[in-house]
Amino acid sequence: MNISVILLSRITEIFRQHFGVPAFIVRSPGRINLIGEHTDYNLGFVLPASIDKAVYIAINKRDDKEINLVAVDLNESFNTSLDTIQYTDKQWPNYILGVVDQLQKKGYILSGFNAVVAGDVPLGAGLSSSAAVECATAYALNELFVLELTKKAMIQLSQKAENEFVGVQCGIMDQFASMFGKKEQVIRLDCRSLEYEYMPFDTLDNQIILFDTGVKHSLASSEYNLRRQECEAGVAIIQKKYPQVQSLRDADMQMVNTCLPAGDDAIYRRCKYVVEEIQRVQDACTDLIQQDIASFGKKMFATHEGLSRLYEVSCPEADALVTMVTNHPAVLGARMMGGGFGGCTINIMKREKIEELINIVTQKYSEQFGRVLKTYIVNIDNGTSLV
Ligand code: ADP
Ligand code: MG
């Protein structure tokens, strides 16, 4: 039986045990990002897609102000009231309550509700299970209370929920991809204007596969904040000579080379990576239009090189996973995905060699790091919707 069918019957059954019959179930997927890393907050381009792993939320309305939540995957429940919503150390309810909080702050009138959440997006692996929970919640509450929000409004309030209520400074990409994803298409998102365009992604011969380093180094959030500051510092310097530059999106390499001391300077290397990466996403889109996945894959390797050497956000585990596949004839492209310091690598490879490659990489990873490698075979699937 299909995994999502199993999940759906499970969630319906657990809902029935606790709350009776759900009004409906919403599905909101996790996401990958093919190319365009650390470009979002520099107002460049990203190229995400939603995947065939999702969070499901079953929901119904109550007559009172109670909010009753069950997280099947965590075997936990949580109860509160619309009038007393606050941050909880339990963590997982925050992604749901944060959305409720945003809606209430915007003046929408809700009543209480019951919700059961379950899914198959791995938690904390960089596939944005958090955005999937938020978008599923926003979509479900919008349906349940007939709020008539647009998808863009739901995305923005989901992001705000994560920024303000959960306290994670994520960009807009994760929620955007979960909500707007489309089967067999990637989304070219302009993070400055939020204009987007679908690009065909050939999955006939090729398979996307993720290798999970299984680590999340503690440097991740401090270095993330530092990178943002370094980019801002670079913009401030470039601006002195080129006042039209408001973000690294507006800069080119000639400006970077003119304004910043080259060589070892950290700000130079950060800016060089970002300016090159923003251009690389656009060139990669040309590859997709020309159905040149080989050329697209080479750009993924170049992105990894930049993230590792210039932007310095990789880690030994991700570097090793990319190195292991670099000269494998079936692998078209590979790179670390996400903010860095752990998470998954994303690989595009010839379908027929998947098993062989997984075996090789699993063994090498275990020898080198003493860890069991988790692998996820993912397909590009539709975004948030009613089931
Ligand atoms: P990522 O978004 O990369 O998966 P995060 O740390 O941002 O990692 O978000 C993971 C958190 O989101 C989990 O620790 C949990 O609190 C919440 N979450 C994700 N999926 C579920 C789920 N199926 N059920 C309950 N909570 C979930
Ligand atoms: Mg997240």
Side-chain angles (χ1 to χ4, degrees), residues 302-314:
T303 292
H304 185 80
E305 183 77 8
L307 286 166
S308 183
R309 304 264 172 103
L310 295 173
Y311 216 61
E312 297 181 285
V313 292
S314 190

Side-chain angles (χ1 to χ4, degrees), residues 128-131 162 174:
S128 248
S129 65
S130 60
E162 185 145 348
D174 299 349

